[in-house]
Amino acid sequence: MTWTQVSTRLLHPGRFISLRQDTVTGPDGVRGTYDHVEVEDGVRVVAIDGQGYVPLVEDHFYLQQQRLLHLPGGGTGGQNPSQAALRELQEETGLHADDVDPLGVIDPLPGVTAARTHLYLATSLRLGTVNREPTESGMRVHRMTLGEAVEAVRAGRVSEAGSVTALLLAELRLR
């Protein structure tokens, strides 16, 4: 048996997220409620230049109350994930890529949201103009080799789920 939705109720309609409460029948046949967050899918991009460097961005995250180092990315904004990945890479780093190659998809919080994070590898990069959103005004770009970025994951300096997974998958693919 699987979960069955009986009904759904919108508890909070937000600009970027919404909170829903579903009446469900669980795998055990018992009826109950399930609260969950609706948020758009996200993307993360490992962009490797001709010298083997990867840009990571550092930005302040309100909930963690600290600056975090992570790969360029964000929400899909209604675009297909590969187009969103190209857009986010350009907006946050100024780098353009003609195409991105999928590395995989993760479900970072499957008990809380159905939102998925699509992971990509970008190569054949060219420099353009940064076009960040106002909330990203304090963002800084750091360049490191893929090996250095993976070591930053191992050392806990990169902890955002999509970035961790994408960097490790890129390292495996490019061995």
Side-chain angles (χ1 to χ4, degrees):
M1 184 174 222
T2 184
W3 292 90
T4 304
Q5 182 188 69
V6 176
S7 64
T8 187
R9 184 169 63 125
L10 181 63
L11 300 177
H12 172 74
R15 183 171 156 207
F16 297 110
I17 68 166
S18 295
L19 177 61
R20 288 197 166 275
Q21 185 174 71
D22 293 351
T23 300
V24 298
T25 302
D28 56 3
V30 175
R31 186 172 281 199
T33 58
Y34 198 104
D35 298 341
H36 60 98
V37 174
E38 286 184 339
V39 62
E40 67 185 22
D41 282 1
V43 296
R44 288 284 179 235
V45 185
V46 179
I48 300 179
D49 69 18
Q51 290 77 44
Y53 284 90
V54 175
L56 286 98
V57 293
E58 179 187 351
D59 203 6
H60 189 271
F61 282 77
Y62 169 73
L63 293 175
Q64 287 72 22
Q65 287 298 301
Q66 63 181 329
R67 293 182 70 78
L68 296 178
L69 191 60
H70 59 91
L71 289 169
T76 56
Q79 294 177 299
N80 74 56
S82 63
Q83 291 298 337
L86 291 168
R87 175 183 45 77
E88 287 288 343
L89 177 64
Q90 184 276 318
E91 285 178 1
E92 294 182 0
T93 68
L95 294 171
H96 292 270
D98 292 330
D99 197 16
V100 288
D101 188 28
L103 287 168
V105 179
I106 61 171
D107 296 297
L109 293 168
V112 177
T113 183
R116 308 186 90 195
T117 303
H118 303 263
L119 311 173
Y120 292 95
L121 177 65
T123 55
S124 301
L125 307 174
R126 59 191 184 284
L127 194 54
T129 305
V130 172
N131 185 27
R132 295 186 184 126
E133 298 174 14
T135 58
E136 299 168 332
S137 63
M139 186 177 277
R140 292 188 299 231
V141 176
H142 298 265
R143 290 180 69 226
M144 53 182 73
T145 66
L146 180 58
E148 291 168 338
V150 169
E151 182 52 38
V153 167
R154 289 188 181 111
R157 293 189 312 275
V158 174
S159 60
E160 187 273 323
S163 298
V164 168
T165 307
L167 286 165
L168 296 176
L169 288 172
E171 179 191 42
L172 285 172
R173 176 159 312 163
L174 297 173
R175 277 188 185 166

